[in-house]
Structure formats: C-alpha cells, structure tokens
Amino acid sequence: MRYLYLAEKPSAMKSVKAAYNASNKPLGDIDFFALAGHICRLCEPKEYEDWDVKWADRKLPMIPNPFRVGILTDNKVKDLKEQLKKVKYDAIIVGTDSDVEGNGIYDLIETYLGLQNYKTYRFFESDLTPAGIMKSMNNLTDYHTNPRDVGMTQSFRIRSRLDWLIGFNMTVAYTVKSGFLMKVGRVKAPTLKLVYDNCKAIDEFSSKTAYQPAIVTENPEVTAYMIDDEGKAVSYADKNEAQKVLTTLSGEAEVLSFEKTTKKTQPDQLYKLTDIQVEAGSKYGYTPEKTLELIQSLYERHKLISYPRTDGRYVSTEKSKDFARLLKAVEAMPSLSAAVKTVTPEAIAAAQGNKRFVNDVEVQKSSHDALIPTGDTAALANLSMDEMHICEMIFKRFLAIFFPPLEEEKTKAVLTDNNIKFSCTGSKVVNPGFTVLTSKPKEAPLPDFKKGQELKETSLHEIVSKPPARFTQATLIKAMENVQKYMAADETELKKALKKAGGIGQPSSRAAIISELVSTGYIDDVKSGKGKGLHITDSGKRYIENLGSSSIVSPELSAQWEVYMNEVSACEMKTNLSGKLSV
C-alpha cells in the first residue's frame, strides 16, 4: 500500500513525517505533501458569467447553482496535481487541522481536483509528539463514511456557502444603497454591533449616586448596610431620605443573628481556547490573535501542549490514564516543580474520577481534549518569555486539578435598630487548596458576635454608579461566546439558543474576526491612557447605522445558525445538502 499524506502546513508535516519514518511504518509507504492552509476556495461572483458586471447592475440575490471551486494558491495546486499524476496512490490521508475548517480544506481540494474516487482516511490529531502522532496514525478513520468526519465536512459546506451568500449579497446591496463600502459578514456584523452598543452606552452614561444607610459599630468595629426583610440591600436616590432613616436610629444596634457556613470552591476547569485568550488578555495584555499564535507555537513547534483550537474543557478517560506522566512534564517547569512533588497518587485518582475534568461525553461533543501538557519537556528551555507565560498558564491550570478545593468560612451577621435591619459579611480561608498555585484569596473575617449583643454608632454609605467597562479584544472574545448576556431579560428562549450555540462565530476564528474589524478601520484599539480599549470609529458607526434593523446584526440569528451547524457537525441533524460541489 502507498499513501499520500496531506499536511496543512510544512511544520506539521515535518513532525508527522519524522515520527512515522522513525516507527515500524505500520501502514507501509507514505509520501508527505505540505499544503499552505486553504489552497482552494469558493469562486467569487465575478467568476460567474452572469455576475461579472458592476455592482449596481447585479441582480440580487446571487445564488450559485452549483457553487464552483477555484484556486487560491496556484503553485501548491499545481504541485499537488503533478504529485498525483506521478505516483499511483492507493489512498490519501487527510492530515489537516483536526476541526471543521481542516475538513473543509480537503473538501475543496477534493472537489477541484476530482479526487472523490480515492480511498480517503482522516488523521485526527491530539498532539504532535511522536507518541501522539503514531496513536493517531494507528487510528485512522474513513473520511467519507465516518460520522464525525462526514458531519464536520457537511458543517463546513453549510458554513462556507452561507457566509458566501450573506457576505457577497449583502456587501453588494448595502454598498450600492449607501454609497459606502460595507463588507458585511455573518459574524462580523453582530460582533461590531456589540462594540457599537458598548461605546454608545459609555458615551451616553450619566453618573448617579445612591445612598445606603449603614452603621459602623464599636467593640467590635464592623460596617453593616441596611437590608429589607428579604435580605436585599436598600438604598435611596435622595440623600435626605437616607438621612431620615439614620435619624430614627437609637444609636444602639442589637445582634439579631450570626451564622457561619463553609464554602468549598473547586479548581477551575481546564482551559479551552477562549478561556485562555480572555485570561491572557487580562494578565499580560495579549490580543486574542497573539495568544492563539503563542499557543500554536507551543503545540506545533515545541510540542509541549495538546491541540490548541479546542472548544472543550475536559479530557477523556483514556487521556486521564496519562496524568502521572503529564505531571512529570509540569515538574520540569522550575516555578511549579515544588508544587508537583506534593501531589499524591490519591489526588491523581480523585482527579481521574472527577467529571468536572474527565468527561467522555463532553469530549465527544467538542472532538478534542482541553489544553493540557503533552508530556514532552525538551523545548522548555527554548521558549520566549511570551511563550513561557502561556505555557505556565496551561501547566498551572492542569496542575491545579490535583489540589483540594479552596475552603472558606463565610460569616453573616444581621443587626437591628428600631426594627431596621443591617447586614455585614465576612470571609476567612480555612484551607487555601488549589489557590496556593494562584493568588491568595482576599480575607475579611467578621469577629464573633453573640445574639443580643449591643453595638453603637451610625454613618451613611454612598453608592456611585459607574459606566459599563469598555471592551478590550480579550473581553470582546468572551462577549462573543456569552452574547446572551447582552440581550433583554425577557428573551428566555433565545438566550437558551444562544447558550447552546456557544455564542457567535467559531472559537478558532473569533480572534481573526476582531483583528479584521480593527485592520479595516471599523474599530480603534487604544492601547493606553484613559480611553484604553475598543472604540467604534466613524466608519464602524456608519456600518451599523446603515444596516439599521437588519437581522444580520442580530446575535440571535447568527447563534441560531451556529446551533444548526453544530448539530450537523455532530451528526444530530440530517441535511439534504449535496455532497459535491462543481468545478
């Protein structure tokens, strides 16, 4: 048997080729060919005979029937065509990135070059270590019949064609109508709308002050704030009204109740791509795009971490069997070495049995494990400072799952004076647990009160409202994932749909969408100063205001499409989409 292996890029090809050639070559002879990402694409409207006219003269909607595929990288297509002519291969192995887009790269190539009759296998990677590569090589699936692969390919076709139909038709329509170039996109539009609304809310914000009656006691000294009978905070817009409450007090408060409870907080779940992009933005100021580049380097070049473009926070039961070995890799990082040595076999077993971290059902949904170490350590000494920051974040998050929960003693006292209730709360760390690896939890313990104890003094607490926080690229990524939080409170069903969809856009493409909005001048990213963060530009405002009430700016619409496409990818929805495109 002789195979042709198609890698997405040269660096990945080198790793797979080296590992396979160093093995006993279980599949026989394999020739390796490196692509350059997408080398084929859907044809643009101007490449169709009917639409090669001025935009103002085009009849809309443009709906290709059938869609055609063209060349994106001419030399790569030519070289691949020559390779297939030169050698008679028994099968092709698709070794592109193991996600929807990776399947799409080959689907377009297969269509353009007419490779449908080749026996085709899918190499589905989890990491690029020699062991991981050979595990994937020994578990190839049939690209054309395996449900996972069929679902991913169908999802790509729907996604790419939908983006074509929306992007080209609406770009032409709104540009002609407005006289202003508007590159309309299915995910781009609602993402820009988030920034538009955020900036508008900040610009139109008017600060307000509320007044909450409070008492400051003596012996011991605590500050307690007014509450109603249901325990909710009470405040007044009028300062005089709040002062009236204080004038009715006797000056001696009585302890009505004092409660102590224990709260346990589990370690954070393992990182998925969006999580670490958000946190790295907050901690180091990295853009989501830079964080993805660093993670990709740790995966592809240094082989220190697992597949980066993951939307999963779990690992499989099978992968959990490697926990002890993976901890050895974490131990090789000097800053974490001492902590790793404290992990016991019992702690490892507990993590393996904890569905918060190990969950086969959830892994199957996302098709990939969370971001974890691979077990390799050779490249640790060669990392740049930025790479080390990200690597340490991933290693530390993994290490934390073997530590006990944070245990805190929470206290609450309810005081009363003239039948008016006041409340104060406190917190004390009993066991720091996993937080010994991160930052120390804040403590503000309450003294022990006795029921009926009398306390003295009064004061008034001002609450000044603040404008919404301005988006950064990192927090905008989070907003895209949790877009339901920006909807009206009564949109319950739509919120459920949005949550099910995982927001708008794909985790692997959100950073690029935000970067494009900045590079095309719709958003300014101010890096320092009082206005630090994302600002809508005049072009961005015109873009959104020209779209007006169009449903394309609605995150609900984009998210509902994501639900459908995710269901297709997971083989939960049947489609009548033709399996073939036309060249």
Side-chain angles (χ1 to χ4, degrees), residues 120-375:
T120 310
Y121 295 102
R122 187 65 163 106
F123 175 91
F124 208 78
E125 69 205 60
S126 57
D127 64 60
L128 286 179
T129 62
I133 288 167
M134 291 314 299
K135 183 176 180 180
S136 295
M137 197 65 82
N138 288 315
N139 289 279
L140 299 177
T141 52
D142 190 311
Y143 175 87
H144 290 127
T145 63
N146 182 61
R148 178 200 64 202
D149 302 316
V150 171
M152 283 188 167
T153 302
Q154 289 280 29
S155 180
F156 170 80
R157 291 173 184 165
I158 295 172
R159 188 181 302 276
S160 58
R161 296 181 198 187
L162 183 60
D163 286 342
W164 192 105
L165 292 168
I166 291 170
F168 283 117
N169 280 288
M170 297 195 77
T171 293
V172 171
Y174 277 97
T175 297
V176 171
K177 180 181 178 181
S178 66
F180 164 67
L181 178 59
M182 293 177 56
K183 295 182 178 179
V184 182
R186 176 179 61 86
V187 180
K188 183 190 297 182
T191 301
L192 185 59
K193 182 66 161 52
L194 285 171
V195 179
Y196 176 90
D197 289 344
N198 176 249
C199 291
K200 186 177 181 182
I202 292 170
D203 292 343
E204 296 178 353
F205 175 78
S206 177
S207 180
K208 295 179 181 179
T209 301
Y211 301 90
Q212 184 177 12
I215 56 175
V216 179
T217 67
E218 294 178 340
N219 300 318
E221 182 179 316
V222 296
T223 301
Y225 301 97
M226 183 176 171
I227 59 173
D228 60 21
D229 289 337
E230 295 179 355
K232 295 179 181 178
V234 175
S235 62
Y236 297 85
D238 188 321
K239 188 174 183 178
N240 291 329
E241 290 296 316
Q243 289 285 9
K244 285 181 183 178
V245 173
L246 295 179
T247 60
T248 66
L249 301 180
S250 68
E252 288 193 3
E254 180 182 331
V255 178
L256 194 63
S257 64
F258 182 65
E259 300 174 353
K260 288 184 180 182
T261 56
T262 299
K263 179 185 177 182
K264 291 186 178 182
T265 304
Q266 296 293 325
D268 291 324
Q269 289 184 288
L270 297 166
Y271 281 126
K272 63 178 182 178
L273 176 58
T274 301
D275 294 339
I276 195 167
Q277 286 175 313
V278 172
E279 192 170 317
S282 172
K283 192 170 184 179
Y284 297 112
Y286 298 156
T287 65
E289 198 166 43
K290 179 173 182 177
T291 300
L292 179 56
E293 288 172 2
L294 293 169
I295 296 172
Q296 192 72 29
S297 178
L298 291 171
Y299 164 72
E300 194 174 302
R301 179 183 172 195
H302 301 299
K303 302 171 181 57
L304 291 168
I305 64 167
S306 58
Y307 184 76
R309 296 171 184 267
T310 177
D311 195 29
R313 292 187 173 118
Y314 306 86
V315 298
S316 66
T317 301
E318 186 64 27
K319 179 63 71 175
S320 74
K321 295 175 183 177
D322 285 341
F323 277 174
R325 180 179 66 83
L326 300 183
L327 279 169
K328 286 293 182 185
V330 179
E331 190 176 357
M333 185 170 282
S335 61
L336 301 177
S337 179
V340 174
K341 288 182 172 67
T342 67
V343 177
T344 64
E346 292 76 18
I348 295 174
Q352 288 171 325
N354 191 335
K355 286 196 173 183
R356 181 174 173 81
F357 313 118
V358 181
N359 192 315
D360 291 331
V361 173
E362 293 296 334
V363 170
Q364 191 172 3
K365 288 179 184 177
S366 61
S367 299
H368 287 289
D369 291 313
L371 285 166
I372 59 172
T374 61

Side-chain angles (χ1 to χ4, degrees), residues 375-394:
D376 270 23
T377 60
L380 273 174
N382 303 323
L383 301 184
S384 68
M385 182 179 68
D386 290 339
E387 288 171 335
M388 179 58 80
H389 284 158
I390 298 298
C391 190
E392 186 175 37
M393 287 176 69
I394 294 169

Side-chain angles (χ1 to χ4, degrees), residues 346-467:
E346 292 76 18
I348 295 174
Q352 288 171 325
N354 191 335
K355 286 196 173 183
R356 181 174 173 81
F357 313 118
V358 181
N359 192 315
D360 291 331
V361 173
E362 293 296 334
V363 170
Q364 191 172 3
K365 288 179 184 177
S366 61
S367 299
H368 287 289
D369 291 313
L371 285 166
I372 59 172
T374 61
D376 270 23
T377 60
L380 273 174
N382 303 323
L383 301 184
S384 68
M385 182 179 68
D386 290 339
E387 288 171 335
M388 179 58 80
H389 284 158
I390 298 298
C391 190
E392 186 175 37
M393 287 176 69
I394 294 169
F395 279 23
K396 189 179 288 186
R397 181 67 70 95
F398 175 72
L399 175 58
I401 73 173
F402 304 100
F403 277 69
L406 163 67
E407 189 173 338
E408 298 170 286
E409 181 184 80
K410 298 289 186 179
T411 47
K412 179 179 180 181
V414 176
L415 314 178
T416 182
D417 183 349
N418 195 23
N419 294 319
I420 298 173
K421 294 179 182 178
F422 299 84
S423 173
C424 54
T425 58
S427 178
K428 182 173 72 174
V429 174
V430 177
N431 181 353
F434 70 93
T435 64
V436 297
L437 300 171
T438 54
S439 56
K440 186 178 179 182
K442 292 180 180 178
E443 290 188 282
L446 281 183
D448 282 339
F449 285 118
K450 294 180 181 178
K451 190 174 180 180
Q453 183 176 351
E454 293 186 353
L455 307 156
K456 294 185 177 182
E457 195 87 40
T458 64
S459 69
L460 192 64
H461 179 61
E462 291 188 2
I463 306 170
V464 180
S465 61
K466 295 181 180 180

